[in-house]
Amino acid sequence: MTVGALFLSGLAAGLVAGTASCTAVQGGFLTGLERTSVGMFLVGRLICHIIVGAALGLVGSAIQLGPQARTILLITAGLILVFFGIRQLKRAPPCHTTKRGGLLLGLATVLVPCGVTLSMEVLAVSTGSAIGGAAVMAGFVVGSAPGFVVLGLLIRRLATKLVAIIAIAAGIFTTFSGLRLGGWLPDFGTPAVAATPGPHGTQTLTVWATPNGFRPGIATAKPHHPIDITFRTEANQGCTRTLSINGHDLALPETGQVSVHVPPQQEGTLHYTCATGMYAGFIRIH
C-alpha cells in the first residue's frame, strides 16, 4: 500500500470506530483541561502516535507494550483520574492547567491505548517502514480527533461537580479494566459451553470475538488435557480484535478465525481479555 492509502486506512478507522472507542478509554484526561488546552492535547496525541507508528513500522512489534505493562498503566491512569475527581468534589482550588499540561496529557494517551488503536498498531507493524507506520497512526489520530473536540467542549460546559463525577467514573472504569486485564477479577456466571474432546484427548473450543464481548463468556474444560481454542470474528471493528491470553497478545482479522493451542493445564481458571481489559472470557478447568 502507498503512504496515502495507509493514511486513508487509518483515517477511516478513526472516523468509523476510533472516535467512540478512544474517547471512552482516554476521554477522562480531558476533565482536567481548560478549553484552550484541548488543541494542545490533540497535538500531543498526534505527535506521540506518529512517533510510535514510525517506530513500529521500522523495528516491528518488539517495542509494543505487553499485557503486564498495560495492566500497570491502566490501573495507574485510573487511580489518577479518581484522585482528580475526589479533589474536585472536595472543592479544592481549581487547577489552571497550562497549554503545556494539555500537550503532556496528549502525549500520555499512547500509554493507555483503546482496542482500535492496538489494531492500528498491528497494521503499522505490517507496513515494514517508518513512513508507512507513521502514516497509519497519523490518519487514525486525525480521524478520531473530532470526538475529542466535541467531548472537550462538552466537559467545559458542565458543572464542576458533574465533571468530577465523570472523572471518578472514568477512573473506576479504567482501573477495573486494568484489574481485568491482569486477571485479578473473579469470574461470575454459569458456564455456557464445555470444551469438546477431540482426537488424542485434545479439547476443542470455539469462541466468537464480537464488538460486545466474547461468546461464550465462560466455558469449562478438563485438566491435564490440551485445549485448542478457535477465536472467530465477523465484521468486528471492536476492542476484541486484539486479545491477551497467557500473557501474550493475539491479533484477529476483521472477519475470519485464529486458533490457539493451550498445553495441558492444572485445575483453575484460564482467562483472556481484549487488549484493553474491557471484555473478558474464562475457561474453568476442573
Side-chain angles (χ1 to χ4, degrees), residues 14-222:
L15 288 170
V16 174
T19 297
S21 178
C22 288
T23 53
V25 175
Q26 302 169 353
F29 288 111
L30 293 173
T31 57
L33 292 178
E34 295 176 351
R35 182 184 303 178
T36 55
S37 296
V38 174
M40 295 305 297
F41 172 86
L42 295 176
V43 170
R45 187 167 179 265
L46 178 62
I47 291 172
C48 68
H49 281 79
I50 287 177
I51 293 173
V52 167
L56 289 174
L58 186 63
V59 302
S61 60
I63 68 168
Q64 288 182 294
L65 294 175
Q68 295 83 3
R70 291 201 308 275
T71 294
I72 295 173
L73 290 171
L74 283 170
I75 293 174
T76 301
L79 293 177
I80 290 173
L81 288 173
V82 170
F83 174 75
F84 168 79
I86 292 175
R87 283 188 60 197
Q88 291 293 97
L89 284 179
K90 289 184 176 180
R91 298 181 180 275
C95 178
H96 298 289
T97 307
T98 64
K99 290 186 178 181
R100 180 176 298 180
L103 180 66
L104 292 176
L105 285 177
L107 292 170
T109 57
V110 75
L111 301 177
V112 189
C114 68
V116 185
T117 304
L118 293 168
S119 298
M120 291 298 99
E121 290 178 353
V122 171
L123 179 57
V125 170
S126 69
T127 65
S129 75
I131 295 177
V136 169
M137 299 309 295
F140 173 71
V141 172
V142 171
S144 57
F148 284 95
V149 173
V150 172
L151 182 61
L153 294 176
L154 176 64
I155 286 175
R156 290 303 94 213
R157 293 178 178 273
L158 298 177
T160 301
K161 284 192 175 183
L162 184 55
V163 171
I165 293 172
I166 292 174
I168 292 173
I172 292 174
F173 175 81
T174 303
T175 301
F176 271 82
S177 294
L179 292 172
R180 191 180 295 112
L181 179 61
W184 298 329
L185 290 181
D187 56 307
F188 297 102
T190 303
V193 67
T196 305
H200 311 294
T202 300
Q203 303 169 94
T204 60
L205 179 64
T206 298
V207 176
W208 282 90
T210 76
N212 299 314
F214 298 101
R215 304 291 185 270
I218 304 177
T220 61
K222 295 181 179 180

Side-chain angles (χ1 to χ4, degrees), residues 218-229:
I218 304 177
T220 61
K222 295 181 179 180
H224 314 301
H225 292 279
I227 310 170
D228 284 337
I229 309 173

